[in-house]
Amino acid sequence: MEQLIDAHIGKADSPPRQRRMRVDAERNRQAILQAASEIFAQSGLEAPLEEIAERAGVGIATLYRRFPSRKALVSAALVAKVTEYERLARECLQCEPSADGFSIFVERACALQVADRGLGDLLSMTLPLDAEVEQLRMAADRHVTLLMERAKAAGSLRPDFVAEDLLLLLIANSAIIHVTADHAPGAWKRFSALVLGAFQTPGLRPLPKAPSPAQMAASMRRAALEHGCGGRV
Amino acid sequence: MEQLIDAHIGKADSPPRQRRMRVDAERNRQAILQAASEIFAQSGLEAPLEEIAERAGVGIATLYRRFPSRKALVSAALVAKVTEYERLARECLQCEPSADGFSIFVERACALQVADRGLGDLLSMTLPLDAEVEQLRMAADRHVTLLMERAKAAGSLRPDFVAEDLLLLLIANSAIIHVTADHAPGAWKRFSALVLGAFQTPGLRPLPKAPSPAQMAASMRRAALEHGCGGRV
DNA sequence: TCGTATCCGGAGTACAACCTCCGTATGAGT
DNA sequence: ACTCATACGGAGGTTGTACTCCGGATACGA
């Protein structure tokens, strides 16, 4: 009787593989996405789904009907933000060589985390997300790698820097935002500037060895699990 | 190395305001403290109390009878660790002036956070704790202030450094530990070294302004509330 | 206007953690 | 040995969140 109408999570221009949704259904869908964006931005990805349903003016069952898992909802609600993140990285690649694209990227990325705590959470762990979001993240990673290489070549990034160092900063920044958002809203700016400075200049002593990409990936996947966002598929 | 487990914490050596506890009660009390130390160290301060009772081989009611609130249990279970933290700061004050006591302190403090995730949580938020623990923390803070001043005078700490910067590092380190403990256990070492380097050398550009002590205090108090460790009394 | 495929919402189930009540057991003083 | 204040432990109430079921409402095509 009740089949997964599922439907195009992406854009409405994809060919109608299933019958089109009823207009009330589509309207509710948009309301849920809007509410989810707002609440994830404000409270992070662990916000109770019932709160989202309530803000959308919709029953909890309707939310689950449209987005069977938290993953689906997060993916759909944050595509725009992740796109923004990817675009940021891409645009920093266009910077004139004189400007320090990598540093600008790091600053802005931290700022994005602040503007949207959902994105902040997303960037500090590896949720099992939509293919589309995953693509975006991977694209961003490629851009960042390029930015790193250029910055190293230009001497504005210490040679022993690795991509995992950036992840560590994003994790740290996310935590600092969670703690200080309400009462010390500028704190993250100071801390990230401090760390960015450390990225730029080769230290006096050699750094302890970096975690391998695989280690870091495993850690961030586990963080997502522990944070209750990856329970099921 | 130490493992000094004696120590009746609360009212053992205080005058007989109440009759002495029955031996089975005292034995259970110790078992609970031991279990709590282990579990807090391994899982952080948010560990379920029932798990602690179970490991202690005791009913949940017994745990609540001895420690009416999480705060009481945390205080009692972590006095030793906080003492260690205070002693670390004090000992760093004894360093020969040639050594950089402040940097050594920061390194060791981060290491303490790793060795005991409960202490890690404790240092990255302001729980409403026992007077004794609060005293220890304040004493440590005084030592740290002295260490800061000396280090600045010796030129091994940037002049614009403030105590809140250290708190930010402890918060960041705690988060990184939580994420990487299992699969990238060395990551914190690299990140803290990076940040410590930034502490030591004055940056090229002036730092964004630091949060005020009051702002930081409010933030850390709120973190404790949100993390469910300060709910009641 | 009418029939029905589709959709809705809230009540209901499951589960984990917190915390309390109360009947039972036992250490320790006489 | 006897008594009872003290302590025990688990059952069970409470809350908060995730997730499902199903009777009833409604959009939409005919």
Side-chain angles (χ1 to χ4, degrees), chain B residues 71-157:
Chain B
K71 156 196 164 187
L73 180 56
V74 168
S75 296
L78 267 75
V79 197
K81 288 289 175 181
V82 179
T83 303
E84 206 174 323
Y85 177 74
E86 187 271 343
R87 190 176 57 210
L88 170 65
R90 186 153 31 84
E91 286 176 358
C92 284
L93 275 175
Q94 316 288 339
C95 283
E96 312 141 30
S98 64
D100 183 357
F102 180 77
S103 297
I104 295 177
F105 169 75
V106 172
E107 278 172 7
R108 299 262 177 91
C110 289
L112 281 183
Q113 281 191 304
V114 176
D116 190 308
R117 275 169 65 169
L119 182 65
D121 288 353
L122 194 62
L123 295 180
S124 67
M125 45 196 186
T126 300
L127 296 158
L129 288 176
D130 244 340
E132 184 182 1
V133 176
E134 285 306 317
Q135 299 275 339
L136 282 168
R137 199 209 283 254
M138 287 167 57
D141 284 351
R142 284 195 300 274
H143 303 157
V144 170
T145 304
L146 281 176
L147 282 169
M148 275 174 46
E149 288 170 1
R150 287 193 196 171
K152 282 186 188 177
S156 59
L157 181 62

Side-chain angles (χ1 to χ4, degrees), chain B residues 11 18-30 66:
Chain B
K11 43 197 168 184
Q18 289 233 340
R19 239 170 3 186
R20 212 169 56 187
M21 289 204 318
R22 255 164 58 170
V23 295
D24 54 344
E26 179 58 30
R27 191 170 2 131
N28 281 333
R29 191 186 141 85
Q30 293 304 327
R66 293 297 153 239

